[in-house]
């Protein structure tokens, strides 16, 4: 997808701190971390947001969550962590390539839900 920041990161056209990669998933450290561990997990396939997930592309979402469990173990997040997806303007999404935030390394005191 032209002009997509995360597609360019996946392609290596923009540098990132990669923590994980397989045939379907790429993961890298967030440039503006909100916790001691803050990693973005993205499908290599360009899907704009959670609202665009359907039966034809949902397998890569499952692959993202398989990667999340591996990354969490590799990062030593045995006490737990949060996985966050922001969807669309009202959800606060700023990069329109589906991604999941892994946040960990601290016990979160604030809870929205
Ligand atoms: P969201 O607001 O849910 O769309 O999340 C986008 C995230 O991408 C934010 O947490 C940003 O800090 C992060 N981000 C933006 N540009 C980069 C970049 N070049 N490398 C790593 N993370 C980035
Ligand atoms: Zn993209």
């Amino acid at each position: 997808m032209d002009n997509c920041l995360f597609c360019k990161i996946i392609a290596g056209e923009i540098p990132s701190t990669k923590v994980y990669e397989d045939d379907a998933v790429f993961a890298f450290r967030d440039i503006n971390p909100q916790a001691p561990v803050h990693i973005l997990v993205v499908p290599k396939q360009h899907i704009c947001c959670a609202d665009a997930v359907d039966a034809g592309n949902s397998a890569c979402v499952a692959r993202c969550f398989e990667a999340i469990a591996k990354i969490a173990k590799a990062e030593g997040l045995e006490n737990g962590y949060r996985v966050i997806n922001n969807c669309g303007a009202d959800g606060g999404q700023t990069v329109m390539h589906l991604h999941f935030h892994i946040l960990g390394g601290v016990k979160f005191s604030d809870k929205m839900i």
Side-chain angles (χ1 to χ4, degrees), residues 78-98:
E78 59 276 347
N79 285 332
Y81 52 93
R82 280 193 183 159
V83 178
I84 294 176
N85 169 256
N86 297 321
C87 180
D90 282 5
Q93 185 176 3
T94 59
V95 179
M96 294 306 291
H97 180 129
L98 178 66

Side-chain angles (χ1 to χ4, degrees), residues 20 22 25-27 41 62-72 102:
Y20 178 86
D22 63 31
V25 179
F26 194 89
V41 180
R63 295 290 302 273
C64 282
F65 275 84
E66 290 178 39
I68 286 168
K70 291 178 189 170
I71 294 164
I102 301 174

Side-chain angles (χ1 to χ4, degrees), residues 5-6 9 28-32 38 40 86 92-95 99 101:
L5 174 64
F6 288 175
I9 286 176
F28 52 100
R29 297 195 189 279
D30 196 291
I31 204 167
N32 183 23
H38 187 172
L40 301 175
N86 297 321
Q93 185 176 3
T94 59
V95 179
H99 54 280
H101 299 253

Side-chain angles (χ1 to χ4, degrees), residues 1 4-7 46-47 96-97:
M1 178 65 66
C4 170
L5 174 64
F6 288 175
C7 281
H46 180 89
I47 300 169
M96 294 306 291
H97 180 129

